[in-house]
Amino acid sequence: TLFEKISLTAQGNLNPYKDTAGVLVDQYVWQGDRFSLGTLTSASIALSTRFQSKPRDPKQTANTSAPVSNRYLNDPLLADDRARLEDYIRRNPAEFVDFNIPWSFDISYSLTYNRVYKYDVKRYAKELNSNISFSNSFSLTPKWIFTTNGYFDFDTKQLTQFTMSISRDMHCWQMSVSVVPINVYKYFNITISPKSTILQDLRVNRTRSFSSY
C-alpha cells in the first residue's frame, strides 16, 4: 500500500527448465556454461485506489474502508476463484452497493506480460496487455443508489464492458435493476432479494438478453 491510498499488487512466474521449440526439457537453465535463474513466462502488475464519502452512520459495524468486492478478492482462501468472482462482481455491481456510503469511486489499472511460443514462426513472442476498470456509485436519495461499472481495453481501444444499475433499499429487502447497453450481448436484469446473507437464496430474478453479431 502506497501513501495509505494506492494498492499495488505484482506477481510473476519463473520457469527454471530449458526448452526446445516450446517443449520443456528435464534440465535446469543454470546447468551448463550460461548462468540464469530461469525464464520469466508471465507477470502482472496492478494499481488500484478508492475514494469515498464519509458514512451516513459511523456506528454501523460494516467495514466500509474497502468495497465488498475487494474484501472478497483479497481473501487468500478465495484465490482460486478470483477470476470467477471478478467476473460476477463486474456483471452484478448492484449487489455490492453500500447504502451507508453516499458516493464512492474506484479505479484500477493492470498490465500483464506473457511469453508465448508461436509455432508458425517457431520462436517466442512477448505479449503485453493493459486495461483499466472503474466503478462509481452515488445516492440519488438515501434509499436509491445509482452505479456504473466499466472496463476499457487499451489493446483494442474499446470500452469492452459497461454496466449501469440502480438499487432500492426496501428495509429488509433490496431491489436492483442492471442494464448492459453495449457489447455483443446486451441485457437487463431485475432482482429482488433479502438483505440478510442467510436468506440470499430467496430471490426473484428476471433477465432478458439481446445478441448481435
Side-chain angles (χ1 to χ4, degrees):
T1 303
L2 306 175
F3 313 111
E4 299 182 353
K5 199 63 181 177
I6 300 176
S7 176
L8 172 65
T9 304
Q11 64 178 7
N13 293 317
L14 202 65
N15 178 25
Y17 295 99
K18 294 181 180 181
D19 66 75
T20 303
V23 179
L24 294 180
V25 179
D26 189 15
Q27 187 178 8
Y28 294 116
V29 293
W30 54 77
Q31 293 177 324
D33 299 332
R34 185 173 65 90
F35 176 76
S36 175
L37 294 177
T39 303
L40 185 65
T41 58
S42 64
S44 66
I45 185 171
L47 292 168
S48 62
T49 187
R50 174 177 172 85
F51 303 95
Q52 68 177 33
S53 62
K54 294 182 179 180
R56 290 191 175 95
D57 184 5
K59 296 181 181 180
Q60 284 193 10
T61 57
N63 177 20
T64 57
S65 61
V68 176
S69 58
N70 284 351
R71 297 202 300 273
Y72 284 153
L73 296 178
N74 289 334
D75 188 341
L77 298 178
L78 301 176
D80 294 338
D81 299 327
R82 186 180 304 272
R84 181 179 57 83
L85 285 171
E86 287 178 341
D87 182 68
Y88 181 83
I89 293 169
R90 193 180 298 119
R91 293 177 180 273
N92 303 273
E95 296 187 20
F96 299 89
V97 296
D98 189 345
F99 288 93
N100 195 38
I101 304 296
W103 65 266
S104 66
F105 178 74
D106 296 84
I107 187 169
S108 63
Y109 170 80
S110 65
L111 175 68
T112 59
Y113 160 83
N114 286 285
R115 184 174 181 264
V116 181
Y117 187 81
K118 303 291 185 179
Y119 288 94
D120 53 345
V121 294
K122 293 182 173 54
R123 64 180 179 85
Y124 279 97
K126 299 177 181 179
E127 296 181 351
L128 288 175
N129 299 282
S130 59
N131 62 76
I132 189 170
S133 60
F134 62 89
S135 63
N136 72 288
S137 66
F138 63 91
S139 297
L140 302 174
T141 70
K143 297 294 185 179
W144 287 94
I145 284 187
F146 179 76
T147 64
T148 60
N149 188 295
Y151 182 92
F152 183 83
D153 192 330
F154 285 103
D155 298 315
T156 60
K157 296 181 175 59
Q158 290 183 348
L159 187 66
T160 57
Q161 188 166 342
F162 183 72
T163 305
M164 298 182 298
S165 59
I166 188 168
S167 303
R168 166 70 177 179
D169 184 1
M170 301 187 296
H171 190 55
C172 296
W173 294 74
Q174 177 177 320
M175 181 186 71
S176 302
V177 180
S178 300
V179 178
V180 175
I182 64 172
N183 214 335
V184 176
Y185 295 98
K186 305 176 180 67
Y187 69 90
F188 69 87
N189 180 60
I190 302 174
T191 302
I192 300 177
S193 59
K195 297 172 67 176
S196 172
T197 55
I198 302 177
L199 304 175
Q200 279 299 300
D201 291 335
L202 299 177
R203 64 172 61 191
V204 179
N205 184 276
R206 182 75 169 176
T207 303
R208 285 291 181 270
S209 60
F210 312 90
S211 61
S212 59
Y213 299 92

